[in-house]
Amino acid sequence: MPRSARTHDVVLFGATSFVGQILTQYMVRRHGSDGDVSWAIAGRNGEKLAEVAANTGAAVDRIVVDADDAAGLAEMCAHTNCVISTVGPYALYGSKLVAAVAEAGIDYVDLTGEPHWMQRMIDRYQDRAVETGARIVHSCGFDSVPSDMGVWFVQREAQERFGEPCSSISMAVKAAKGGASGGTIASMMNMMEEASADPSLREILANPYALAETGDRSGVDQPNVTLPVYDDGHESWLAPFVMAATNTRVVFRTHSLLGHPWGDDFTYGEAMMTGDGWSGRAKAMATSAALASAMGAVAFGPIRSVMGKVLPEPGEGPSPEKQEAGFFDIRFHGTTASGDELTATVTGDRDPGYASTAKMLAEAATTLADSDAAGGFWTPATALGDAYIDALVEHSGLTFDIT
Ligand SMILES: NC(=O)c1ccc[n+]([C@@H]2O[C@H](COP(=O)([O-])OP(=O)(O)OC[C@H]3O[C@@H](n4cnc5c(N)ncnc54)[C@H](OP(=O)(O)O)[C@@H]3O)[C@@H](O)[C@H]2O)c1
């Protein structure tokens, strides 16, 4: 069916999720209920959908469909140009939808931070997506937009200023304030469950090139901050960053899809800045120890099940006040092969994981509609490029600057 003949431009699948409700509010503010963009909300529970519509003022169509209902998903995809999905953990509930999207030849964006599932989807459906023209872009939230678009921005600037790209980039989170939702915790727990049941998954999760094109899944060793280390470029001590394992994989997929324009020796790492001097060192040590013990605890089945009972449940997350008071400030330090250096700052004006994420996700869908990318699995940078940076700055409260 040609794009213009479909009933909806966008269907928001998972509107009842914690982040889906914030996204629905944002869609109402950004597009209205009967503006130029025709959109609908979808989920498995009609009553909950009606409640979300009433709470957010979304006077739009409502579609009731379960993530397990392949025929229902195919029907939904037949009548829309783009599905935004916030139904997660994606490894549990996302695969049938990706199959339906690939078959229908439509656009799709999501918030997954689960590299093993993304690799599974790419390997299963890339060929079909190319045939049908389906454009699938995972990780359009805080995982991994600031990283992927930050690197894109740094490389664009390096090329313009120095005539060559950076051969190495280090990203460090200078400051961030927010909280976690039950859905995010459920996704992390599920990834740990799957990895402990299937050792081959641990290999996938450990490979920085796990999401690169098939046949391109190896390369030079990559920096991996697991212990406190002082970094001259950032002039700060660094500690491990929990989302590096997803974000770096997305950045290396971008590099692979682009055909290695930053060189075969390109390196990219992510960490958290803790400041300089003795206090920076002490904070780096404390952060590293806290993260190591949290990951150790989550990896241990019995502790994982106890943690599941005390952490936020699916549907719960940071309060509107916390979202409003949240922010992030991320630094990129790039160096070219000739030794030129560049520092960039990427910031967001709301809590990273929810209010900012919802805005990034909505703008990814809108920007994708105008992208000339062909069918296939893309990353935010390769599908959306400079137009997405413009949209993020104009609508999503992000900034991209050379410091
Ligand atoms: N990339 C990022 O930065 C980022 C940020 C935030 C969240 N996330 C991810 O986004 C996802 C959503 O997070 P969240 O906290 O909003 O999750 P949540 O509140 O737990 O919501 C989960 C959603 O999935 C729906 N669902 C579950 N099983 C379903 C099924 N069989 N059929 C249809 N719908 C089903 C739920 O529907 P009901 O309401 O009917 O139960 C709900 O809408 C998670 O995977 C999380 O990891 C990523």
Side-chain angles (χ1 to χ4, degrees):
M1 190 185 291
R3 286 178 170 252
S4 53
R6 295 177 194 262
T7 314
H8 301 115
D9 294 316
V10 176
V11 169
L12 202 178
F13 184 49
T16 59
S17 68
F18 183 75
V19 69
Q21 295 181 50
I22 302 168
L23 179 56
T24 306
Q25 276 169 6
Y26 179 73
M27 292 291 282
V28 171
R29 279 203 311 276
R30 173 89 164 87
H31 301 292
S33 292
D34 56 1
D36 290 346
V37 175
S38 69
W39 58 286
I41 55 176
R44 63 175 163 180
N45 182 325
E47 278 173 27
K48 274 176 105 174
L49 278 178
E51 227 173 273
V52 170
N55 293 341
T56 57
V60 297
D61 290 346
R62 301 194 291 270
I63 302 165
V64 179
V65 60
D66 194 285
D68 208 31
D69 171 8
L73 295 172
E75 177 68 13
M76 177 174 84
C77 292
H79 296 286
T80 186
N81 289 317
C82 176
V83 176
I84 302 180
S85 176
T86 61
V87 172
Y90 292 88
L92 291 181
Y93 309 125
S95 304
K96 286 187 179 163
L97 176 58
V98 172
V101 164
E103 209 48 53
I106 61 169
D107 290 347
Y108 167 95
V109 294
D110 73 19
L111 288 181
T112 184
E114 298 153 68
H116 66 304
W117 178 71
M118 287 188 252
Q119 191 196 71
R120 210 177 286 156
M121 294 300 98
I122 293 167
D123 291 351
R124 261 186 220 164
Y125 300 115
Q126 166 73 9
D127 290 349
R128 190 65 185 138
V130 169
E131 282 164 14
T132 62
R135 304 179 306 173
I136 295 165
V137 191
H138 294 305
S139 306
C140 294
F142 189 59
D143 281 353
S144 302
V145 167
S147 305
D148 199 34
M149 299 314 299
V151 169
W152 174 270
F153 174 71
V154 166
Q155 295 295 27
R156 185 185 81 188
E157 294 296 313
Q159 196 66 52
E160 269 177 35
R161 284 158 200 251
F162 310 131
E164 62 175 328
C166 293
S167 54
S168 115
I169 298 178
S170 160
M171 177 276 224
V173 180
K174 184 160 193 287
K177 197 168 157 197
S181 72
T184 298
I185 287 159
S187 298
M188 285 178 72
M189 296 284 196
N190 180 64
M191 202 151 64
M192 288 296 183
E193 291 283 351
E194 289 196 32
S196 62
D198 177 359
S200 72
L201 276 193
R202 279 177 244 156
E203 267 173 52
I204 295 174
L205 292 171
N207 179 7
Y209 302 101
L211 297 182
E213 294 254 77
T214 323
D216 192 22
R217 291 186 179 157
S218 60
V220 295
D221 285 349
Q222 291 295 334
N224 184 12
V225 175
T226 52
L227 293 169
V229 59
Y230 187 80
D231 185 271
D232 289 326
H234 290 294
E235 296 176 350
S236 171
W237 282 88
L238 301 181
F241 177 45
V242 68
M243 282 155 58
T246 297
N247 295 336
T248 53
R249 277 59 176 162
V250 173
V251 168
F252 291 123
R253 178 164 180 77
T254 289
H255 196 215
S256 175
L257 288 168
L258 293 173
H260 296 219
W262 310 325
D264 289 338
D265 294 339
F266 173 67
T267 61
Y268 176 68
E270 297 194 346
M272 284 175 69
M273 285 167 83
T274 56
D276 59 6
W278 284 102
S279 78
R281 185 168 183 261
K283 275 190 213 153
M285 289 173 80
T287 308
S288 306
L291 189 66
S293 45
M295 294 315 270
V298 171
F300 184 52
I303 296 191
R304 197 162 55 235
S305 65
V306 172
M307 286 171 90
K309 294 190 181 98
V310 293
L311 291 167
E313 294 280 328
E316 297 173 359
S319 66
E321 294 73 27
K322 273 199 176 151
Q323 292 168 34
E324 182 90 15
F327 69 93
F328 59 86
D329 179 345
I330 294 176
R331 306 297 161 106
F332 293 81
H333 182 259
T335 312
T336 67
S338 310
D340 288 310
E341 295 180 48
L342 194 70
T343 303
T345 302
V346 176
T347 65
D349 68 349
R350 291 287 184 279
D351 80 295
Y354 303 96
S356 260
T357 279
K359 296 193 280 185
M360 293 180 221
L361 182 59
E363 296 310 323
T366 310
T367 311
L368 186 56
D370 292 329
S371 161
D372 55 11
F377 283 74
W378 298 99
T379 55
T382 51
L384 310 172
D386 291 338
Y388 191 34
I389 293 191
D390 294 344
L392 291 169
V393 170
E394 192 176 345
H395 301 291
S396 304
L398 266 68
T399 64
F400 291 78
D401 291 300
I402 296 297
T403 315

